[in-house]
Amino acid sequence: MSKSTTFLSKTDEAEIVAAIRTAEKNTSGEIRVHIEAEATKNPYERALDVFYELEMNATKDKNGVLIYVAVTDKKFVICGDEGINNVVPKDFWNSTKDVIQAYFKKNNFKQGLIAGILKAGEELKAHFPWQIDDENELSNEISKG
């Protein structure tokens, strides 16, 4: 088994997906988590590749957020589409990264991802509140490479 498939237990994954559903309940924003053993290039560049592979740039309001984790490399990246990047505070991604990193340093990967997802969801809610005609545009499932 690869590290991307053993990084989190099935129960951990279910709790992370539940956190995505919770975070997206009050926003039109879309949050995805992608896990792979290692980045095949610079982690930020690889995260951008995954962002486009998952068609996260195709959301109506350009408000998708990806949390990318390269397990073996011990790297993670948070990237958002232009709609959210244009409205969040300049330190937003750093403050979200700090929340995740605090848990990761304690080897609490599940809770780090959940905390980051919920923080991103709060910011998305502030700028992209849920509307009556909103629909879930992207899968909430964790993708793996």
Side-chain angles (χ1 to χ4, degrees), residues 32-36 46 50 54 66-69 143-145:
R32 298 280 321 253
V33 173
H34 181 83
I35 298 169
E36 54 190 27
R46 178 64 187 134
V50 170
L54 296 175
L66 173 67
I67 301 174
Y68 167 85
V69 180
S143 61
K144 296 178 183 171

Side-chain angles (χ1 to χ4, degrees), residues 8 11 88 98 100 127 141:
L8 299 166
T11 303
V88 294
D98 292 344
I100 295 171
H127 298 287
E141 297 302 312

